[in-house]
Amino acid sequence: MKFVKIFGGFVIIIALASISYADNFKKFSTSYQTNHGKKWKIGYFQGGDYVNYQSYLSSTIRGLMDLGWIKETKIPEIKGNTRLFWEWLSTKAQSDYIEFLSDAYYSCDWDKSTRKKVANRLISRLADDDNNIDLMIAMGTWAGKDLSNNLHHVNTIIMSTSDPVESGIIKSIQDSGFDHIHARIDPLRYERQIMIFNDMVKFKTLGMAYEDSIAGRSYAAVDAIETVAAQKGFKIARCFTQSDISDQELMNRSVIKCFSELIPKVDAIYVTVQGGVNSTTIPTLVKMTQENRIPTFSQFGSTEVQQGFLMSMSRKNGFRSAGRYFAALVAQIFNGAKPRELNQVFEEEQNLALNLKTAELIGFYLYADIIAAADEIYRDIKEPE
């Protein structure tokens, strides 16, 4: 009952998503099988390393182990480095059915000039009649944008995008627009976040720092926040950062500068997902907002709440449910399904995360029923690793 009380219609949305997700299993098998006696070959493409990417990838591998496609083994904890993780997959993961190609890992390292060269080289390979890749994992918005086209026809699963419709990766929630493309979407995820934040904090002006580009607006879910702002009647104060670049120091400085500019103008900040919000900058951002008694909501999740932001939504089972979902997609595609045929809507069950120490420091009163509703409560502030 507490979930319904705090989050309104969220439970109904989850139930609907579960039904549509289950329909995929009715239509297509997830049973393991070879590709006419040979192993299915998988490649990987990303814009650059980001903390969520490896979590999605490793959880998908765990899901494939659960389905029997890969032999059970301990998955190494290699944080923030998908290249090293891919090396482990290509050399250590044991399977009679699939192979992770050692020469099919592609990353642009968040360099825009490198991006074009890498994407062109990969698409040329995928379009070649002698190409040996059966499935591509495209991680993030850059990779999704670069592979969501008819320049190739290799089956592609796109993971970890904030809004694949708004960013132009797919045609609509229901239809990717390409037979070989599938992009998972949770269409109301960020609306739910901001509605909860506004219901609890009652802010009149919300601060947002993000890169003013198609990808940056997509990462920050700007359209979703604007929709809720119109419904709830609050204003949005914006400051533009630099994110999808290779200069980490510049990314960091741009976010800190924007927080400095926003704090005098707002009574709450939505901490958006971007390259400049990281283990280096979070302590500074937390200190700035706490000293100025500004409530914060982390778009990223409960890890950042543990590190000092006031609240967020946490994944109930980490990335495990998403991993099972993506593993099932891989299995169904290898059993003959077209990516376009598979339901793209998958909404992870999420719960409220709160930092009581931060609430104390900014003078924000948390009512007992709100604390009772939270599934993750932090009483101290942990330094990022």
Side-chain angles (χ1 to χ4, degrees):
M1 291 300 291
K2 67 181 182 181
F3 204 77
V4 175
K5 180 177 180 181
I6 297 298
F7 302 109
F10 187 35
V11 172
I12 296 173
I13 294 171
I14 289 295
L16 290 173
S18 298
I19 292 170
S20 57
Y21 176 35
D23 286 344
N24 284 348
F25 287 97
K26 295 177 183 177
K27 295 178 182 177
F28 305 104
S29 172
T30 59
S31 299
Y32 43 84
Q33 64 170 354
T34 62
N35 181 12
H36 304 292
K38 299 179 180 180
K39 293 183 180 182
W40 300 96
K41 301 184 186 299
I42 300 177
Y44 178 89
F45 180 36
Q46 65 176 25
D49 269 326
Y50 182 65
V51 62
N52 267 1
Y53 292 175
Q54 189 174 319
S55 297
Y56 275 113
L57 184 57
S58 61
S59 295
T60 301
I61 300 308
R62 168 53 58 194
L64 288 167
M65 289 180 182
D66 292 342
L67 290 174
W69 286 81
I70 302 174
K71 292 181 180 178
E72 286 281 342
T73 189
K74 183 178 180 180
I75 298 175
E77 294 184 11
I78 307 172
K79 295 183 179 180
N81 192 322
T82 54
R83 187 182 300 274
L84 287 179
F85 188 75
W86 194 262
E87 288 178 7
W88 176 83
L89 283 174
S90 62
T91 58
K92 302 297 183 182
Q94 298 181 34
S95 172
D96 295 327
Y97 311 101
I98 56 180
E99 178 182 355
F100 301 93
L101 295 173
S102 59
D103 68 340
Y105 174 95
Y106 295 84
S107 177
C108 308
D109 298 322
W110 298 125
D111 186 292
K112 292 180 181 178
S113 60
T114 300
R115 175 186 181 183
K116 187 174 182 179
K117 296 175 185 176
V118 172
N120 287 342
R121 187 167 74 248
L122 173 56
I123 289 173
S124 294
R125 176 177 179 176
L126 297 177
D128 192 319
D129 290 339
D130 294 327
N131 166 54
N132 64 338
I133 299 175
D134 300 301
L135 177 78
M136 282 298 302
I137 295 173
M139 194 69 75
T141 299
W142 272 22
K145 285 279 289 182
D146 290 343
L147 294 189
S148 185
N149 52 56
N150 274 322
L151 297 176
H152 74 99
H153 293 91
V154 173
N155 290 331
T156 301
I157 296 174
I158 300 167
M159 305 180 185
S160 193
T161 60
S162 295
D163 189 341
V165 176
E166 172 61 25
S167 58
I169 293 173
I170 56 176
K171 180 180 177 181
S172 68
I173 294 170
Q174 296 81 16
D175 182 14
S176 71
F178 303 96
D179 285 349
H180 59 292
I181 297 294
H182 180 286
R184 174 261 177 138
I185 185 169
D186 181 348
L188 297 176
R189 177 181 180 184
Y190 301 109
E191 284 93 334
R192 293 193 298 268
Q193 288 188 356
I194 295 301
M195 284 183 176
I196 292 165
F197 192 30
N198 185 250
D199 286 344
M200 294 177 65
V201 176
K202 309 296 183 186
F203 51 80
K204 295 181 179 179
T205 303
L206 177 69
M208 291 183 66
Y210 60 91
E211 184 179 82
D212 191 24
S213 64
I214 293 175
R217 289 176 60 89
S218 172
Y219 298 154
V222 173
D223 284 359
I225 280 62
E226 289 175 345
T227 297
V228 178
Q231 294 173 355
K232 292 282 192 176
F234 62 81
K235 297 178 181 179
I236 301 174
R238 309 163 198 261
C239 183
F240 300 133
T241 62
Q242 297 190 60
S243 180
D244 282 353
I245 57 176
S246 57
D247 189 335
Q248 186 64 59
E249 286 297 322
L250 182 55
M251 284 191 284
N252 294 352
R253 289 196 303 270
S254 72
V255 171
I256 293 171
K257 181 175 181 290
C258 271
F259 268 56
S260 296
E261 293 179 9
L262 287 171
I263 283 172
K265 305 174 184 177
V266 306
D267 42 24
I269 290 178
Y270 184 56
V271 186
T272 63
V273 169
Q274 58 184 298
V277 178
N278 53 55
S279 59
T280 299
T281 61
I282 285 176
T284 300
L285 302 177
V286 166
K287 184 178 180 181
M288 292 168 66
T289 52
Q290 287 178 349
E291 288 179 345
N292 290 277
R293 302 168 73 89
I294 300 292
T296 48
F297 191 107
S298 165
Q299 181 186 18
F300 177 77
S302 59
T303 300
E304 292 184 355
V305 175
Q306 187 177 19
Q307 294 167 356
F309 292 129
L310 178 62
M311 67 180 71
S312 185
M313 304 303 295
S314 65
R315 289 178 169 89
K316 188 174 182 180
N317 297 304
F319 288 82
R320 195 172 182 89
S321 61
R324 288 195 295 263
Y325 169 76
F326 286 122
L329 292 179
V330 173
Q332 291 169 104
I333 290 168
F334 288 162
N335 272 280
K338 294 179 180 178
R340 190 177 191 173
E341 295 178 292
L342 301 172
N343 177 39
Q344 296 185 127
V345 177
F346 177 66
E347 295 162 310
E348 297 172 72
E349 184 176 344
Q350 295 188 331
N351 302 294
L352 186 63
L354 295 171
N355 191 307
L356 301 188
K357 185 64 175 180
T358 296
E360 175 190 340
L361 291 172
I362 68 172
F364 182 75
Y365 183 76
L366 290 169
Y367 291 95
D369 59 344
I370 294 176
I371 296 175
D375 289 86
E376 290 189 36
I377 294 176
Y378 301 101
R379 292 177 169 80
D380 295 299
I381 296 172
K382 179 182 179 182
E383 287 289 324
E385 296 179 1

